[in-house]
């Protein structure tokens, strides 16, 4: 019982740290400069007209800062953000309850918007376009439609699978922004900022090591920084240098490019079992005993960014840089 309580406390502390590391102002948000500039224009224009901002959609891989941007939009508009997610909206009544409780000018943030039930989307369309909520009361011949006026609000949605959003829903957003992986320099700035908040002494060489292994993702960078801190503390290290950073990564089985065991296993299986590809994603999913969605959403985007993997009409193909990184000779290459 005491052990369970300790674990829950540690999880709570970790979540508190994540919250503390989240940027609270535009000046603290590193990277995605074009998106920030566009958002500033949209927000300033809305404030000058004293109107609610257009609905905004953020798309991109997990961990790139979509939720943080949503809260920053609410802050810049001087408003409050109410948060929910696509899977949490199980029936139309759930969405109706949220919409009718919104205050004028508030932000409604829906995470994982691609998982909204199509029937619930039908309720969302008039709410986004005309600020109307259409409800059906009763069943059968006695059923009647009730229309309620909604306060002016801004819907901010985030998705990791933009292709799964229905076209009617996507078209109702006034602005759509796709977040890209961060540059190494931006990740270094994020690591330095997080180290300062955590009161850690991290040498520049260690920042470079952690940044390179962070997969261009702030969430991963912060996670690796926290694990390096744990490793340094347990081993009585007063500062985190390159050696400590590398040892912490080795403990996590993460290499210098940020590849984890499952990433390397994916590449190795394609090379060894399918002669480097092409291989269909369903076949690959069966070989890995992994869900197709996990392969497409989590593993493939970063491997493609590195130039290690290619999607083709015939399937997935491992590219030469991956062979070099894994130390595997391609069949037919001269010894």
């Amino acid at each position: 019982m005491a052990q369970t309580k300790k674990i829950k406390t540690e999880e709570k502390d970790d979540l508190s740290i994540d919250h503390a590391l989240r940027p609270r102002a535009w000046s603290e948000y590193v990277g995605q400069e074009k998106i920030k500039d566009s958002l500033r224009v949209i927000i300033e224009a809305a404030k000058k007209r004293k109107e609610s901002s257009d609905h905004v959609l953020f798309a991109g891989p997990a961990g790139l800062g979509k939720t943080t941007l949503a809260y920053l939009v609410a802050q810049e508009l001087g408003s409050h953000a109410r948060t929910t997610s696509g899977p949490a909206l199980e029936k139309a009544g759930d969405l109706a309850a949220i919409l009718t409780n919104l205050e004028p000018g508030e932000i409604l943030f829906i995470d994982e918007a691609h998982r909204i039930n199509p029937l619930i989307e039908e309720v969302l369309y008039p709410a986004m376009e005309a600020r109307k909520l259409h409800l059906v009361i009763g069943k059968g011949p006695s059923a009647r439609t009730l229309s309620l006026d909604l306060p002016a609000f801004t819907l901010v949605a985030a998705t990791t699978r933009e292709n799964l959003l229905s076209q009617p829903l996507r078209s109702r957003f006034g602005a759509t922004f796709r977040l890209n992986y961060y540059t190494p320099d931006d990740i270094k700035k994020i690591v330095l900022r997080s180290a300062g908040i955590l009161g850690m002494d991290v040498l520049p060489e260690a920042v470079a090591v952690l940044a390179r292994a962070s997969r261009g993702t702030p969430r991963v960078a912060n996670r690796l920084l926290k694990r390096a801190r744990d490793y340094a503390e347990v081993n009585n290290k007063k500062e985190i240098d390159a050696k400590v950073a590398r040892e912490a990564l080795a403990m996590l089985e993460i290499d210098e490019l940020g590849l984890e065991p499952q990433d390397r296993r994916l590449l190795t299986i394609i090379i060894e079992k399918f002669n480097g590809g092409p291989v269909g994603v369903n076949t690959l999913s069966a070989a890995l005993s992994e869900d197709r969605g996990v392969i497409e959403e989590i593993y493939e985007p970063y491997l493609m960014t590195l130039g290690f993997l290619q999607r083709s009409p015939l399937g997935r193909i491992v590219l030469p840089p991956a062979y070099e990184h894994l130390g595997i000779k391609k069949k037919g290459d001269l010894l």
Side-chain angles (χ1 to χ4, degrees):
M1 184 72 177
Q3 181 68 17
T4 303
K5 186 176 180 181
K6 180 181 178 182
I7 292 172
K8 287 183 177 179
T9 302
E10 289 173 351
E11 290 176 348
K12 184 177 179 181
D13 290 343
D14 219 35
L15 290 173
S16 299
I17 292 172
D18 288 338
H19 183 72
L21 296 180
R22 178 168 287 171
R24 306 292 179 87
W26 287 121
S27 59
E28 297 179 3
Y29 191 102
V30 178
Q32 312 292 348
E33 296 301 328
K34 290 184 178 180
I35 292 176
K36 289 195 296 183
D37 290 342
S38 297
L39 282 172
R40 284 194 190 98
V41 172
I42 293 172
I43 292 170
E44 287 302 317
K47 289 167 71 174
K48 284 188 175 182
R49 292 193 301 264
K50 296 183 179 179
E51 298 175 353
S52 290
S53 169
D54 269 351
H55 306 302
V56 178
L57 173 67
F58 295 123
L64 295 187
K66 298 184 292 294
T67 300
T68 299
L69 279 175
Y71 283 114
L72 288 178
V73 167
Q75 180 177 304
E76 290 299 308
L77 287 170
S79 182
H80 172 70
R82 298 201 181 206
T83 304
T84 186
S85 66
L89 301 172
E90 296 181 349
K91 53 185 183 294
D94 297 333
L95 179 60
I98 294 173
L99 291 173
T100 53
N101 280 296
L102 289 174
E103 297 292 332
E106 271 195 322
I107 303 291
L108 173 59
F109 174 57
I110 301 181
D111 199 8
E112 296 300 311
H114 62 275
R115 296 178 64 185
I116 299 176
N117 188 305
L119 295 176
I120 297 175
E121 280 190 19
E122 296 294 334
V123 177
L124 199 54
Y125 297 155
M128 294 175 69
E129 284 188 322
R131 300 194 185 110
K132 295 283 187 181
L133 179 61
H134 301 310
L135 299 174
V136 178
I137 300 175
K139 295 182 179 180
S142 62
R144 60 191 180 91
T145 301
L146 178 65
S147 182
L148 300 176
D149 291 326
L150 296 173
F153 74 97
T154 297
L155 174 64
V156 178
T159 177
T160 54
R161 298 289 300 276
E162 187 180 2
N163 62 306
L164 295 184
L165 283 176
S166 67
Q167 182 56 36
L169 179 59
R170 188 189 292 111
S171 66
R172 284 170 168 81
F173 287 98
T176 299
F177 300 106
R178 179 165 186 82
L179 281 71
N180 298 311
Y181 287 110
Y182 288 64
T183 65
D185 287 341
D186 284 340
I187 291 292
K188 288 178 184 177
K189 292 176 184 177
I190 291 169
V191 172
L192 284 172
R193 174 184 174 273
S194 298
I197 293 173
L198 296 174
M200 298 166 57
D201 188 6
V202 185
L203 299 183
E205 58 192 31
V207 171
V209 170
L210 295 175
R212 194 175 184 210
S214 69
R215 305 170 73 97
T217 306
R219 182 181 296 165
V220 175
N222 287 330
R223 174 169 62 86
L224 296 181
L225 179 64
K226 289 186 290 183
R227 298 295 75 83
R229 179 186 65 166
D230 293 342
Y231 184 86
E233 186 174 338
V234 168
N235 289 279
N236 299 314
K237 305 289 185 181
K238 294 183 179 180
E239 62 183 13
I240 298 176
D241 57 17
K243 183 174 182 293
V244 171
R246 290 193 183 96
E247 289 173 352
L249 292 176
M251 178 186 68
L252 297 170
E253 296 184 87
I254 296 174
D255 66 24
E256 68 274 11
L257 290 183
L259 297 190
E260 298 180 359
Q262 194 69 346
D263 298 305
R264 295 190 291 272
R265 181 167 172 256
L266 183 149
L267 294 172
T268 303
I269 283 179
I270 297 177
I271 292 170
E272 294 180 350
K273 290 191 175 183
F274 304 101
N275 196 29
V279 55
V281 67
N282 290 327
T283 303
L284 188 56
S285 173
L288 286 167
S289 299
E290 192 69 86
D291 184 76
R292 171 177 177 161
V294 173
I295 294 173
E296 293 180 329
E297 293 178 43
I298 298 176
Y299 304 131
E300 289 186 345
Y302 183 61
L303 292 175
M304 291 170 66
T305 301
L306 290 175
F308 285 3
L309 192 70
Q310 177 184 336
R311 288 177 181 170
S312 75
L314 297 177
R316 277 53 176 172
I317 302 171
V318 175
L319 299 176
Y323 286 88
E324 184 180 345
H325 179 73
L326 295 173
I328 299 175
K329 288 193 177 292
K330 192 173 183 179
K331 288 184 180 179
D333 285 352
L334 295 175
L335 295 177

